[in-house]
Amino acid sequence: MSKVERRVRSLVSGDGEMRDAVEVVLDNAADGEVQWVDVRDEITSGQWGRLIEKEVLVDGERGFALADREGIEAGLEDDDDLTGGGDVETPETTSWTKWDKIAGVATLGAFVGYAVNPVRNAIAGAFDLVLGPLLNVVPFYVVVMVIALATGLYSTLLRAGLMDMEKMSVYQERMKDIQDRRKEAKERDDQEALDAIQEEQMDAMGDQLGMFKEQFRPMVWIMFLTIPAFLWMFWVIGYRGSDAAYPAIAAQELVVPIAGTVTWDTGIVGPIQMWIVWYFLCSMAFTQLVQKSLNIEMSPSTS
């Protein structure tokens, strides 16, 4: 079942007037396009708007074009069999390369640094060769902003490059198709169809694992690059009883809204210190800025 066919079925299901509106549009779109002036005497503006909203009608050269005439016509046909899975097929799951696996193991090793001082000191000390000199040039909050900007940039690029949005869309498309047929079967009180759809839904649980693998692959690389930088900030300020590598920076005072005068090692939200709050605020802001600037969509489209 195509996307357009499913949208049309959703529109006309139990709504005879909407079915008539779709048929009117089909009759007046002889060359594949139709304008509001051609149909305004036969359908309402609300029905016209719903056809555009559901992308049954899309932008054309002189008006609005039919998204898919065959799909629209198929959507108008009665279909009492809800047990079929339609045309939505599960894509092949992306396999991890050996480099992905190495990055995953290295990431797990870096996590140990949060609990084991020698590991943290080794990783942070290596990063301090690059980031330490910046502390002599700009304030600590600027260094954190630089790290947050770098995090936002490479996390966006890694997700765009390693996560197959088309496959993600197909996974979501299949689950949406099952949910729509399940809803329609419930409305018809078709227990046989519900049982068949339930079995299909159980079989489709593998789709959830496929989506997880698609999402987690770039996350491994993001964490592989981010955790060492985070450990360095952890090391500079000191956290959970550990000594600060730069006590003067940890004791610097700054004024923030609501909390007032605090230092970088002050707990703002429970044990969450000020430097962590500042990093996450900068990271979220720069990530959104990078995505908008590069016009990269981070969520799959099911439209």
Side-chain angles (χ1 to χ4, degrees):
M1 183 183 297
S2 68
K3 298 178 183 178
V4 174
E5 180 180 348
R6 192 180 67 245
R7 294 186 201 123
V8 173
R9 288 191 184 277
S10 175
L11 284 171
V12 304
S13 178
D15 188 343
E17 292 183 356
M18 201 65 213
R19 175 181 292 273
D20 293 339
V22 175
E23 291 175 346
V24 167
V25 168
L26 283 173
D27 293 340
N28 285 272
D31 59 350
E33 292 196 9
V34 62
Q35 296 183 13
W36 167 239
V37 294
D38 299 329
V39 297
R40 63 185 179 185
D41 294 332
E42 300 178 75
I43 69 175
T44 66
S45 59
Q47 292 170 335
W48 177 259
R50 289 185 68 190
L51 292 172
I52 297 174
E53 178 186 3
K54 293 294 185 180
E55 296 186 3
V56 175
L57 295 176
V58 296
D59 289 336
E61 293 183 1
R62 64 177 183 84
F64 285 90
L66 301 177
D68 177 4
R69 175 178 284 274
E70 292 182 358
I72 295 172
E73 292 175 344
L76 292 175
E77 296 176 358
D78 292 330
D79 184 8
D80 295 328
D81 182 12
L82 301 174
T83 61
D87 298 327
V88 184
E89 298 180 356
T90 303
E92 183 180 351
T93 304
T94 301
S95 59
W96 283 27
T97 67
K98 68 174 183 178
W99 298 111
D100 296 329
K101 296 173 182 177
I102 290 173
V105 173
T107 299
L108 291 175
F111 265 120
V112 176
Y114 287 105
V116 181
N117 284 334
V119 175
R120 179 171 64 248
N121 293 338
I123 296 174
F127 262 65
D128 193 55
L129 297 176
V130 177
L131 298 175
L134 287 178
L135 294 175
N136 298 322
V137 179
V138 295
F140 179 68
Y141 72 86
V142 175
V143 177
V144 175
M145 291 175 66
V146 171
I147 295 173
L149 176 59
T151 301
L153 179 60
Y154 65 65
S155 64
T156 299
L157 294 177
L158 283 170
R159 289 179 65 191
L162 297 179
M163 193 162 64
D164 192 327
M165 291 299 177
E166 184 176 349
K167 286 186 178 181
M168 293 288 291
S169 296
V170 174
Y171 284 129
Q172 293 190 3
E173 188 73 19
R174 186 185 181 201
M175 297 306 295
K176 181 68 166 58
D177 177 66
I178 292 174
Q179 290 170 3
D180 287 347
R181 287 187 287 113
R182 182 183 180 88
K183 180 180 179 182
E184 190 173 347
K186 281 185 176 181
E187 292 174 351
R188 296 187 185 185
D189 196 21
D190 188 341
Q191 189 58 46
E192 182 179 352
L194 282 171
D195 291 341
I197 293 171
Q198 179 68 27
E199 292 182 7
E200 183 182 352
Q201 194 168 26
M202 293 299 293
D203 292 338
M205 291 302 292
D207 290 359
Q208 301 296 329
L209 178 59
M211 288 183 64
F212 177 77
K213 288 183 69 175
E214 289 289 341
Q215 293 172 327
F216 194 67
R217 185 185 177 205
M219 286 303 300
V220 165
W221 286 100
I222 292 170
M223 290 188 292
F224 173 71
L225 297 171
T226 303
I227 290 175
F230 207 80
L231 283 176
W232 177 79
M233 292 184 288
F234 188 113
W235 178 74
V236 167
I237 301 300
Y239 189 59
R240 298 176 63 181
S242 63
D243 295 331
Y246 290 82
I249 292 178
Q252 284 179 353
E253 293 186 345
L254 61 156
V255 179
V256 298
I258 302 177
T261 301
V262 298
T263 59
W264 287 114
D265 57 4
T266 299
I268 299 297
V269 183
I272 301 177
Q273 295 179 342
M274 182 61 211
W275 67 272
I276 300 177
V277 174
W278 176 242
Y279 168 78
F280 279 110
L281 289 175
C282 293
S283 180
M284 288 188 292
F286 283 131
T287 298
Q288 292 297 316
L289 181 62
V290 170
Q291 290 177 10
K292 295 296 183 182
S293 300
L294 300 180
N295 194 27
I296 296 177
E297 181 60 49
M298 286 290 102
S299 59
S301 172
T302 57
S303 61

